[in-house]
Amino acid sequence: ALVQTGEAVRLAPQSGIAHFYRGRILYDLGRTTEAQPEFETASRLNSSLAEPRYFLALIDSHDGKFQLAASLLEETVKLQPRNVMAWYMLGQSLQQNSETAKAIAAWRQTIAIDPNFSQALFSLARALRSSDRAESAQLMARYLTVQKQRRILDRADTLANNGIEAESAHDWPQAIRLLKEAIAACGDCAAKADLHRKLGIIDCQAGNLINGEKELLAAKALKPDDPVTQAALELIAQARSQDSTSATRKAP
């Protein structure tokens, strides 16, 4: 990837995108000293790009240059107002720069965009501990609830992934058992619709269209616009139509 992005920069030296991607590869390789001028060039060539500013802010933050980082992150959120991580990092940089009131405002914006952003909930709860104990306690309770839900979701994901592995081995009984366990572990977690869909498809693969349709309808009720669920239900309807037509032709 580094070779390819180097060639892209050589062929299009005035491309901000090319310089950004080369900087990103260098950054991921831990070569931040080389990545920084690439991000700076990308920002200069394409003023509408938020991403180079974000990564420059990360570099400044790691170097302890929190005021510079905050300035770059303020530019980032102007270009990408719903960049939740940029808002959170802005709060972190402002706090490190002893601008607590501004940090609190940034973290409030973070959870306004994503109410379950646990790091922002925790940071905001701690920042408000001395000035508003009641709100601090509420935020900490929300943080603990999100952490609990995340653990439930992690267990459900693990069971579901094991079920998918069993499906790949065509071990339908094991796959179905694991997906049912995943749904039970999930409860009302965010992945419930996807788990019902996966179980429905595995039921169909195992030849049980009745149970498959039941699970797919449960998935559709939770996530009506899921195109994969809709496509699977349409395939079941087609299979039944073909069976009905075939039975009619065979009838004396």
Side-chain angles (χ1 to χ4, degrees):
L2 188 61
V3 171
Q4 293 297 322
T5 53
E7 182 66 6
V9 167
R10 187 187 69 80
L11 292 171
Q14 298 303 309
S15 169
I17 293 288
H19 282 283
F20 165 69
Y21 279 117
R22 179 164 178 78
R24 179 64 192 273
I25 298 299
L26 288 164
Y27 182 91
D28 288 346
L29 290 170
R31 293 160 62 174
T32 54
T33 303
E34 297 171 72
Q36 186 167 354
E38 296 292 345
F39 292 139
E40 289 171 347
T41 301
S43 294
R44 177 174 54 80
L45 291 173
N46 192 335
S47 60
S48 64
L49 278 180
E51 291 81 3
R53 290 166 172 77
Y54 177 79
F55 282 96
L56 284 169
L58 291 184
I59 293 171
D60 284 337
S61 181
H62 294 157
D63 291 343
K65 301 174 183 177
F66 299 113
Q67 189 169 0
L68 288 173
S71 178
L72 285 162
L73 288 164
E74 285 172 348
E75 292 178 20
T76 302
V77 296
K78 283 180 182 177
L79 292 167
Q80 292 182 338
R82 296 193 63 78
N83 187 331
V84 68
M85 184 57 75
W87 278 109
Y88 169 70
M89 291 300 300
L90 174 58
Q92 295 294 97
S93 297
L94 289 166
Q95 184 192 44
Q96 290 289 343
N97 206 39
S98 300
E99 298 182 76
T100 305
K102 289 184 178 180
I104 288 172
W107 290 326
R108 287 193 188 282
Q109 185 62 34
T110 306
I111 61 173
I113 297 168
D114 182 358
N116 294 325
F117 197 107
S118 60
Q119 296 159 289
L121 288 169
F122 184 79
S123 296
L124 190 53
R126 290 188 63 184
L128 292 171
R129 191 180 301 164
S130 59
S131 60
D132 192 333
R133 284 188 171 274
E135 186 180 5
S136 175
Q138 290 173 358
L139 289 164
M140 188 58 71
R142 281 174 60 187
Y143 166 77
L144 293 173
T145 298
V146 169
Q147 291 299 96
K148 181 180 178 181
Q149 290 172 343
R150 188 161 293 165
R151 285 193 293 272
I152 291 170
L153 190 57
D154 286 345
R155 171 162 169 73
D157 280 344
T158 298
L159 288 165
N161 288 336
N162 290 340
I164 297 303
E165 288 180 8
E167 176 199 14
S168 299
H170 299 278
D171 185 350
W172 309 126
Q174 175 75 342
I176 290 168
R177 181 183 69 78
L178 287 166
L179 262 296
K180 285 181 177 178
E181 286 187 26
I183 291 169
C186 169
D188 290 323
C189 75
K192 190 172 184 179
D194 294 336
L195 293 173
H196 277 292
R197 185 195 70 219
K198 289 174 183 177
L199 177 56
I201 290 172
I202 291 172
D203 275 324
C204 291
Q205 290 173 326
N208 192 334
L209 293 186
I210 294 174
N211 281 351
E213 185 177 40
K214 178 183 174 183
E215 295 296 335
L216 289 165
L217 288 171
K220 185 177 175 64
L222 292 166
K223 192 190 287 188
D225 298 327
D226 185 353
V228 178
T229 300
Q230 186 59 41
L233 286 167
E234 289 172 3
L235 286 173
I236 290 173
Q238 289 175 17
R240 285 191 172 143
S241 176
Q242 289 169 0
D243 287 345
S244 176
T245 301
S246 177
T248 300
R249 287 174 179 172
K250 289 179 182 179

